[in-house]
């Protein structure tokens, strides 16, 4: 992504304000240790649950760790979650990876859990935030969360590694990148029986590989009950007023399935046009005639910062919660 320095400055400020893990800092040092306390009533799994390693990890039985997990922030987000109204089981959605918006993330996964659909796997498509020689990165390992192990869906992962997309396995990069790592605990909490697979996409990924990914996911949806989750933050680095204008343009492009306009967006609108393209192609392929706009917010609104706050010098980040149900 571009303009990393302002982003890290903004993330550091949020860390200081919230005392919670976001995108900045060293995850290995800053992440709190998993707690052994019991999960709140209604959780899909209990804190501290351990399972025997089988095929969940990669070679050597490695499990990736959720280095951005903060127990206090996570449990607050699930307490405050408010499931969205929907007239069918979700087939796909878009959520933030900025954990400041945890309540929105939790609300999406609570919606999926309450739909009654027994998802076999959650497939994450997200932007790659860190330099790598590969334009599409996946992982073959499962995840250790405070609520137990989430197994990797090896069949889906191997499919992503083949064909035109040809994602390459990079366990370290997947664990480091908050775009997926920060969301994994929500899967185990709300959808405890689901496996996961994930792919990180660079913004310079070729359009034909983006299209190939969408087609592969559509084919997989004929074989398994999967929930596609695209992890995307929207407007970056702008004042709240300017960010709102860009979000209006983004909303219009999403509603119109305007792929050409979306392909030209940069960080002023969203951090991963590639992920959004996959989301929209998937919806259309599954017969969903519209994008459901469940929620919209921004960092300044969540923090309740007054106009003129120094945080605005680096701009704000905005968030959409989107979904789709079969047509």
């Amino acid at each position: 992504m571009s303009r990393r320095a302002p982003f890290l400055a903004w993330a550091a400020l949020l860390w200081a304000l919230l005392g919670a893990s976001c995108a900045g800092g060293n995850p290995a040092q800053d992440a709190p240790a998993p707690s052994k306390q019991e999960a709140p009533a209604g959780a899909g799994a209990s804190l501290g649950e351990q399972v025997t390693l089988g095929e969940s990890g990669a070679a050597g039985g490695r499990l990736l760790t959720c280095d951005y997990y903060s127990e206090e922030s996570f449990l607050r987000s699930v307490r405050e979650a408010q499931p969205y109204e929907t007239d069918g089981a979700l087939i796909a959605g878009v959520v933030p990876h900025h954990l400041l918006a945890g309540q929105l993330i939790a609300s999406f996964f609570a919606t999926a859990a309450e739909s009654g659909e027994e998802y076999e796997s959650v497939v994450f498509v997200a932007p790659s935030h860190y330099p790598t020689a590969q334009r599409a990165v996946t992982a073959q390992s499962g995840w250790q969360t405070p609520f137990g192990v989430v197994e990797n869906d090896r069949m889906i992962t191997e499919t992503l590694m083949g064909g035109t997309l040809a994602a390459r396995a990079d366990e370290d990069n997947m664990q480091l990148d908050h775009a997926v790592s920060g969301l994994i605990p929500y899967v185990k909490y709300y959808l405890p029986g689901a496996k996961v697979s994930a792919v990180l996409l660079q913004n310079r990924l070729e359009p034909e590989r983006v299209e190939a990914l969408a087609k592969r996911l559509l084919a997989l949806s004929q074989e398994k009950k999967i929930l596609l989750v695209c992890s995307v933050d929207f407007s970056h680095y702008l004042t709240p007023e300017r960010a709102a204008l860009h979000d209006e343009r983004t909303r219009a492009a999403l509603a119109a399935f305007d792929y050409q306009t979306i392909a030209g967006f940069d960080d002023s609108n969203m951090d991963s046009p590639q992920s959004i393209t996959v989301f929209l192609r998937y919806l259309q392929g599954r017969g969903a005639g519209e994008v459901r706009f469940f929620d919209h917010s921004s960092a300044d609104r969540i923090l309740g910062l007054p106009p003129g706050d120094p945080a605005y010098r680096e701009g704000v980040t905005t968030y959409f919660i989107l979904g789709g149900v079969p047509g």
Side-chain angles (χ1 to χ4, degrees):
M1 289 177 59
S2 62
R3 302 177 65 184
R4 292 290 301 162
F7 171 77
L8 292 174
W10 172 234
L13 175 61
L14 294 182
W15 186 297
L17 289 169
L18 294 176
S21 177
C22 293
N26 184 328
Q29 297 175 358
D30 295 334
S35 169
K36 300 296 182 182
Q37 77 174 51
E38 293 183 358
S46 298
L47 281 160
E49 174 191 352
Q50 301 290 329
V51 302
T52 302
L53 297 183
E55 296 183 354
S56 59
R62 173 182 177 179
L63 289 173
L64 306 182
T65 56
C66 303
D67 293 334
Y68 297 93
Y69 176 81
S70 161
E71 180 180 297
E72 179 182 359
S73 298
F74 182 90
L75 295 182
R76 180 173 62 246
S77 74
V78 299
R79 286 195 303 269
E80 297 175 351
Q82 298 180 358
Y84 303 113
E85 293 185 8
T86 180
D87 55 1
L90 292 172
I91 56 173
V94 173
V95 302
H97 43 258
H98 194 181
L99 296 182
L100 174 65
Q103 185 267 336
L104 303 182
I105 299 168
S107 295
F108 172 84
F109 281 100
T111 303
E114 290 193 359
S115 72
E117 185 71 90
E118 295 185 3
Y119 300 105
E120 296 176 68
S121 292
V122 176
V123 180
F124 287 102
V125 177
S128 176
H129 288 82
Y130 300 99
T132 173
Q134 304 300 327
R135 297 185 182 184
V137 168
T138 188
Q140 297 174 290
S141 301
W143 294 81
Q144 178 69 60
T145 81
F147 310 101
V149 169
V150 182
E151 292 187 25
N152 185 290
D153 191 316
R154 289 293 191 84
M155 188 271 276
I156 294 179
T157 299
E158 289 173 4
T159 298
L160 298 178
M161 295 176 68
T164 302
L165 178 64
R168 293 292 178 261
D170 186 336
E171 316 301 304
D172 292 336
N173 195 289
M174 184 64 71
Q175 179 172 300
L176 174 65
D177 203 309
H178 59 286
V180 171
S181 180
L183 302 181
I184 295 294
Y186 289 98
V187 174
K188 188 62 177 179
Y189 187 92
Y190 283 108
L191 304 171
K195 297 181 180 182
V196 299
S197 185
V199 61
L200 302 172
L201 309 178
Q202 291 195 4
N203 281 353
R204 56 195 178 96
L205 184 69
E206 301 88 340
E208 58 269 23
R209 295 175 73 184
V210 175
E211 297 294 334
L213 172 57
K215 290 178 180 179
R216 280 185 173 266
L217 293 176
L218 283 169
L220 287 166
S221 72
Q222 303 304 309
E223 304 176 33
K224 289 191 167 191
K225 292 181 179 179
I226 67 175
L227 175 64
L228 170 64
V229 178
C230 294
S231 169
V232 177
D233 290 334
F234 287 83
S235 183
H236 292 62
Y237 317 124
L238 303 179
T239 64
E241 296 77 15
R242 290 186 61 202
L245 292 175
H246 281 271
D247 278 358
E248 289 180 10
R249 297 169 191 159
T250 297
R251 180 187 289 268
L254 289 167
F257 289 80
D258 186 347
Y259 294 103
Q260 183 174 357
T261 296
I262 290 168
F265 281 154
D266 59 16
D267 284 336
S268 295
N269 289 83
M270 61 182 63
D271 61 9
S272 184
Q274 293 75 19
S275 299
I276 291 295
T277 296
V278 171
F279 168 70
L280 294 176
R281 293 291 191 198
Y282 187 81
L283 289 191
Q284 288 189 311
R286 293 290 304 273
E290 63 177 347
V291 175
R292 305 293 178 91
F293 290 86
F294 290 134
D295 218 332
H296 175 248
S297 192
S298 60
D300 57 299
R301 287 170 58 188
I302 293 173
L303 290 171
L305 299 180
D309 189 279
Y312 294 150
R313 295 173 187 170
E314 300 296 350
V316 301
T317 304
T318 66
Y319 320 107
F320 281 100
I321 301 294
L322 309 176
V325 299

